[in-house]
Amino acid sequence: MNDNTLSGRTALVTGGSRGIGRAICVRLAQAGIKVAINYRSNQAAAEETAQRVAEAGSSAYTVRANVASRQEVDAMVEEVGQHLGPIDLLVNNAGIFEFLPHDELTPEVWQTTLDTNLTAAYNTIWAVKDGMIERGFGRIVNMSSIGGVRGRPNSIAYSVTKAGIIMLTKSLAEAVAPHNLRVNCVAPGLTDTEMPHSVATPEVIEELIEATPLKRIGQPEDMAKVVYFLLSEDADFITGQTIIASGGRVLLP
Ligand code: NAP
C-alpha cells in the first residue's frame, strides 16, 4: 500500500446512519475505503447506509455505540478492528442540537450536549490515536458548525461544544503531527438533514437560505466532499485547520 493511499484503509464514521454522516460514508466508499458506520439507535438507517457503501463497491460494518460513553466507544473500536482492520481514518460526525432559550437550558441538556458533541470526540480519538501513532499514519476529521464560530443565542450548549471541537482540533493536531497524524475540522452551515428541519419551520429555513450568499441550503454531499479532501493526500500539508462550508454564511445572521 502506498503510504498515502486511502484505498483499502479502514474508516470509522460516527453518526454514519443518516444525514451528513451517511454522505461521508458513501464518499469514502467511492475511494475504496472500508467503512465502519456507527449509530446510536436507528439501526435501519445504518443498514441503509451500509447498502449504499456496498453499492459504491466497498465493505461496510455497522456498529451501535453511544459515543458519549467511553466504554461503548472502546468496545466499538475493538469490534471494528476485528471486522475491518485497524482504524486509520476517523470522522467524528455524530452530534445533537439543542434549540432552547437560555432559561430553558437545564443542567441535563447542557451535560448531554457536552457529552455527545465534545467528550465523544475525546472518547473516539483517545481510543484510536495510540494505534495510529504505532502505525505512523492517522487522519482525523472533526465536525464543528458555524455555530462554533459565531455563537447562537438559542443553542448555547451546542455552540460551546462546536467551538471546543475547533480548539480540540488545533491543539491535538500540533501534539500528534510528529507521528504523521493529521487532524482537521469542517464547520458546516445550514445543511439539508433532519437536524435543522426538526427545529426550524420551512419559513425559517427560507430566511436562512436568503441570508446565505450562495442562496442555497448545503447538501450532505457538500460536506462529504470537504471531509474526503481533508482525509486525502491532497491535504497532506494541512493540519489543525477548520474549513467553513456554509455558502458564505458565517458572520451573517
Ligand atoms: P442528523 O441528521 O441529526 O444525524 C445525526 C447522527 O448522529 C445520526 O447518525 C445519529 O444516530 C448520530 N448520533 C447522535 N447522537 C449519537 C450518539 N450519542 N452516539 C452515536 N451516534 C449518535 O445530523 P446531521 O445534520 O447529519 O449532522 C451531522 C454533524 O454535522 C453533527 O455533528 C452536526 O452538529 C453537524 N452540523 C450539522 C448542520 C446541519 O445543518 N445539518 C450544520 C452544522 C453542523 P441515529 O441515527 O442512531 O440516531
Side-chain angles (χ1 to χ4, degrees):
M1 191 187 298
N2 169 326
D3 190 41
N4 282 328
T5 301
L6 299 188
S7 179
R9 293 193 186 272
T10 295
L12 170 62
V13 180
T14 68
S17 49
R18 300 184 277 124
I20 295 170
R22 173 179 285 172
I24 293 168
C25 291
V26 173
R27 180 66 190 86
L28 301 194
Q30 288 165 348
I33 297 164
K34 297 181 277 184
V35 190
I37 302 157
N38 158 253
Y39 65 100
R40 176 184 46 180
S41 55
N42 195 337
Q43 187 180 355
E47 296 297 343
E48 170 68 25
T49 303
Q51 177 66 30
R52 299 210 195 166
V53 166
E55 285 164 8
S58 196
S59 308
Y61 181 74
T62 60
V63 58
R64 201 212 71 78
N66 176 0
V67 290
S69 158
R70 185 87 204 266
Q71 281 173 323
E72 291 189 28
V73 166
D74 286 347
M76 167 172 69
V77 166
E78 176 78 24
E79 192 179 329
V80 170
Q82 284 167 8
H83 285 85
L84 293 183
I87 296 164
D88 286 333
L89 314 167
L90 170 66
V91 182
N92 281 311
N93 165 78
I96 55 172
F97 184 61
E98 110 274 17
F99 191 80
L100 296 169
H102 62 87
D103 47 2
E104 291 178 29
L105 178 53
T106 61
E108 290 74 23
V109 173
W110 172 266
Q111 196 60 52
T112 304
T113 307
L114 260 74
D115 290 347
T116 308
N117 290 1
L118 186 55
T119 304
Y122 168 84
N123 291 340
T124 55
I125 292 167
W126 263 254
V128 302
K129 74 173 175 57
D130 290 348
M132 290 177 169
I133 289 169
E134 271 171 34
R135 295 187 298 280
F137 182 96
R139 307 285 181 256
I140 298 171
V141 173
N142 300 316
M143 201 60 72
S144 178
S145 163
I146 56 171
V149 181
R150 184 194 181 273
R152 293 287 151 186
N154 289 321
S155 303
I156 296 171
Y158 180 81
S159 299
V160 165
T161 63
K162 295 302 185 177
I165 283 288
I166 292 171
M167 191 49 73
L168 171 66
T169 302
K170 289 185 191 184
S171 306
L172 180 73
E174 199 167 333
V176 297
H179 304 283
N180 189 28
L181 270 60
R182 293 194 294 101
V183 188
N184 287 295
C185 181
V186 179
L190 179 70
T191 307
D192 199 4
T193 70
E194 285 173 40
M195 187 175 275
H197 290 294
S198 64
V199 294
T201 62
E203 292 71 28
V204 169
I205 301 266
E206 276 312 311
E207 282 169 22
L208 293 172
I209 292 171
E210 193 48 42
T212 302
L214 286 177
K215 300 291 179 210
R216 70 172 176 87
I217 190 168
Q219 292 303 315
E221 292 74 17
D222 292 319
M223 307 310 147
K225 280 189 267 193
V226 184
V227 170
Y228 177 69
F229 163 71
L230 289 171
L231 293 172
S232 78
E233 63 187 275
D234 285 349
D236 261 351
F237 203 45
I238 300 177
T239 197
Q241 302 305 303
T242 296
I243 294 184
I244 297 173
S246 68
R249 193 174 73 89
V250 183
L251 298 175
L252 303 175

